Amino acid sequence: MNMRTKTVAAAIVCASVAAVALATGCAAQSPGGAEPAYDELIVQYANEYESSQVHKADEEGEDNSHANLRAQLETPAVRAGGVAIVREVDADDPDKADIPKFCLSCKTSLFNDMYEEEGMGVFGSGNVMTDEDFAALDGRYFDCYSCHSWEGGGLVLEPHMIYAQAETFPLAAEFLGSVSAKEAVCGQCHNYALGRDTAKGYTEDEAQNCDPWRYGTDPEGMYRYLVEIGGFSTDEATGIKMVQANHPQLEMFQGSIHQSMGLACSDCHMNPATDESGATYVSHDASSSVAEDDEAMASCLACHETQDGIETVEDMRSFLSTRQAQQAACQAEVEASLEGFYQAIANAVQDGTVDDATLQQAKDDYSFARFLVKGQQQNLNDPVDGAQIAHNPDQMRSMLERANALVEEGMEKVG
């Protein structure tokens, strides 16, 4: 990194520190003030709160924004994958799916209150949300205290979900404490595994020893942990372990060029804004597309103008979309090869022409190759191919290259 780039990077970091100061509420503090009631808090931080409630529909018309969590969770529906709505139904429809309470563990800080009342019994698929439980939440999803605590008369940045609580999940909390607060408040939910083993319920000892990062944050470490906790389904036709991360944005960001510059999630996803009165604040519309945000694109120019000769916001947007498309195209090629590999394994299982040890190695190669492809998408339920390339372009490209190599090696075993 040359001297000019270092200076620009330092400027970005300084600007991001200022942004976090705004996000934590310094501009609206009441020195020495007692913690207000929640309805008073969202008035005190009106701009931040209102921007957090902005809805966003994708190209298919689906709204997966933080603001739509209430509708996603409280609408009577047939569901897949826990909470994903397959179709809406009447409230008394026997096919209506109940929502396990643990599904709220990374969607509202009020889950912590449920834990205080019920203890470890709050985990487990048999303990489901009732109409009364939802009414008590009063729509407080992605709430202020998910990412902040009240100190010194104002809000300060602090991961607040149950998995960040050292008394309950000390090892998980220790890792979250090892990254920047700006990463931790997002990463307490946007990670690959926390909550994956909650459906069976927790004992206190299991919670104390819950440590998804015990093998590291690289793909091998994530895969090993998920296999260890049974975080996979088994393909009926082949016996292949279908292992998939939830949404490993936190893990993918580790070791990235942007992390090395001191940047974090909020620097791109929560930008400075100005209200109608001219007051500045940090937008909490964290579900919005960075590519559609002129403020975010402009901040990228601070480095990319020097590194890549990009001069305008539109040029920066084009630079990003080109790399997203390149990653998506590469993924499509690998997926096509992966499908051929699966068929070769299925044929070998059916006709018995490959010895057991070689066949098992091919299955393991396929399993990890598939995990690499799905992992670099970084979104289990609503992936958009290539969209998250900016999180860690080197890692994402490497994962597809490694997956392709595994496919080629595996085809030699069973092809």
Side-chain angles (χ1 to χ4, degrees):
M1 187 181 287
N2 60 39
M3 185 58 69
R4 182 179 177 188
T5 305
K6 288 181 179 178
T7 302
V8 172
I12 293 177
V13 173
C14 290
S16 68
V17 169
V20 171
L22 287 172
T24 55
C26 297
Q29 281 187 1
S30 303
E35 181 176 349
Y38 194 76
D39 58 351
E40 297 171 341
L41 182 71
I42 61 177
V43 171
Q44 182 174 344
Y45 293 91
N47 286 327
E48 290 82 357
Y49 174 75
E50 289 172 9
S51 62
S52 76
Q53 300 303 301
V54 174
H55 289 259
K56 175 201 168 194
D58 61 19
E59 294 178 354
E60 298 175 350
E62 296 181 356
D63 186 349
N64 290 305
S65 65
H66 294 108
N68 202 47
L69 282 171
R70 184 173 196 170
Q72 286 180 320
L73 291 165
E74 298 186 19
T75 298
V78 175
R79 300 176 184 272
V83 299
I85 294 177
V86 175
R87 71 176 189 277
E88 297 182 14
V89 296
D90 294 332
D92 58 354
D93 191 305
D95 292 330
K96 183 192 78 169
D98 291 321
I99 300 293
K101 287 186 178 178
F102 73 79
C103 286
L104 280 294
S105 62
C106 66
K107 296 176 176 65
T108 173
S109 67
L110 293 179
F111 180 83
N112 297 358
D113 295 340
M114 298 181 196
Y115 168 74
E116 289 297 325
E117 292 179 5
E118 302 182 38
M120 287 298 163
V122 76
F123 296 103
S125 57
N127 194 348
V128 300
M129 295 290 291
T130 64
D131 291 342
E132 292 75 17
D133 292 327
F134 281 124
L137 289 179
D138 194 26
R140 275 183 55 178
Y141 302 97
F142 188 50
D143 59 307
C144 302
Y145 291 125
S146 296
C147 304
H148 299 279
S149 59
W150 183 267
E151 292 181 18
L155 292 175
V156 298
L157 203 62
E158 181 183 21
H160 228 203
M161 296 301 197
I162 189 67
Y163 302 110
Q165 304 304 309
E167 318 85 59
T168 313
F169 289 88
L171 298 179
E174 181 180 3
F175 177 80
L176 291 170
S178 72
V179 300
S180 72
K182 292 188 294 179
E183 290 177 57
V185 293
C186 299
Q188 62 183 331
C189 297
H190 289 263
N191 62 76
Y192 85 104
L194 280 175
R196 283 294 290 273
D197 54 355
T198 51
K200 66 176 178 54
Y202 277 118
T203 65
E204 290 187 10
D205 285 345
E206 286 171 334
Q208 291 285 311
N209 291 297
C210 175
D211 183 13
W213 302 286
R214 65 168 63 107
Y215 303 123
T217 60
D218 61 10
E220 285 84 358
M222 291 189 283
Y223 181 88
R224 179 180 176 185
Y225 178 79
L226 287 173
V227 170
E228 187 175 278
I229 67 168
F232 60 88
S233 59
T234 301
D235 182 61
E236 185 175 347
T238 62
I240 294 171
K241 293 183 177 69
M242 299 297 190
V243 186
Q244 188 166 337
N246 273 2
H247 27 54
Q249 286 101 340
L250 174 63
E251 292 78 17
M252 288 294 295
F253 193 67
Q254 303 308 300
S256 67
I257 181 63
H258 291 138
Q259 186 191 48
S260 73
M261 294 170 62
L263 301 177
C265 318
S266 59
D267 295 307
C268 295
H269 290 274
M270 299 171 66
N271 286 284
T274 305
D275 68 14
E276 294 179 355
S277 72
T280 58
Y281 65 100
V282 172
S283 170
H284 280 52
D285 180 15
S287 299
S288 64
S289 168
V290 172
E292 296 171 3
D293 188 329
D294 286 351
E295 191 76 34
M297 290 290 97
S299 68
C300 299
L301 291 175
C303 281
H304 285 277
E305 183 175 4
T306 303
Q307 300 290 335
D308 303 295
I310 300 170
E311 298 181 352
T312 69
V313 164
E314 285 305 316
D315 288 343
M316 187 65 230
R317 187 172 284 122
S318 177
F319 176 87
L320 174 60
S321 64
T322 296
R323 276 145 187 79
Q324 290 173 327
Q326 290 171 341
Q327 185 73 9
C330 184
Q331 178 185 317
E333 292 180 7
V334 176
E335 285 181 324
S337 298
L338 198 61
E339 176 60 25
F341 185 23
Y342 174 85
Q343 290 301 327
I345 292 173
N347 292 339
V349 169
Q350 187 172 17
D351 61 32
T353 55
V354 179
D355 67 85
D356 290 346
T358 302
L359 183 57
Q360 185 58 53
Q361 185 59 59
K363 292 179 183 180
D364 293 343
D365 289 346
Y366 176 90
S367 179
F368 189 52
R370 178 182 179 276
F371 178 80
L372 290 169
V373 173
K374 297 294 185 182
Q376 60 83 41
Q377 287 181 297
Q378 300 172 60
N379 198 324
L380 174 64
N381 293 318
D382 190 35
V384 179
D385 298 346
Q388 304 197 40
I389 188 68
H391 289 173
N392 195 334
D394 292 340
Q395 175 79 302
M396 288 178 65
R397 293 175 188 133
S398 172
M399 289 171 76
L400 290 183
E401 290 169 359
R402 294 176 63 194
N404 193 58
L406 283 168
V407 170
E408 291 178 352
E409 294 169 8
M411 286 297 289
E412 293 179 0
K413 297 182 178 76
V414 296

